[in-house]
Amino acid sequence: DPSARRRLGSIPRFAGLAVRTPFSRNLPKLGLSAPSRQESLTELSALLAAGKLTPYIDRTYPLAEIHAAMRYLASGAVRGKVVLTTADQSAD
């Protein structure tokens, strides 16, 4: 009943967690862990410095077409970076 859920709010959820908590301490640890943010940034920095990290450029738009670029971003079809270019770009 939706009205009963509104009256009780999150009490049933908290009650369920309270019942499961003593048992969850005895569950085996899976050993899954992710690298820390610092480790990830260090590795990304090293890849970038070595030239092994290249962004994927999906589309390039001149600055005058910023509205088209924004529409493309909003479409959800983007698979890489969308780049806006200026008229006075010089080659490196």
Side-chain angles (χ1 to χ4, degrees):
D1 180 22
S3 63
R5 277 190 228 132
R6 274 187 253 131
R7 281 191 301 253
L8 293 176
S10 57
I11 292 173
R13 183 169 179 251
F14 286 121
L17 288 173
V19 169
R20 286 189 298 258
T21 299
F23 301 106
S24 65
R25 290 186 199 126
N26 297 324
L27 292 174
K29 303 289 187 245
L30 295 176
L32 300 175
S33 64
S36 71
R37 181 179 170 94
Q38 183 61 43
E39 290 171 333
S40 296
L41 289 176
T42 300
E43 185 175 347
L44 284 173
S45 179
L47 289 170
L48 186 61
K52 295 181 179 180
L53 187 65
T54 318
Y56 174 73
I57 298 175
D58 187 344
R59 293 197 182 175
T60 302
Y61 291 92
L63 188 57
E65 294 181 25
I66 191 167
H67 296 293
M70 294 302 290
R71 277 193 302 276
Y72 181 62
L73 285 169
S75 75
V78 179
R79 297 288 176 241
K81 299 295 181 186
V82 175
V83 177
L84 294 174
T85 59
T86 60
D88 62 345
Q89 283 188 326
S90 60
D92 289 332

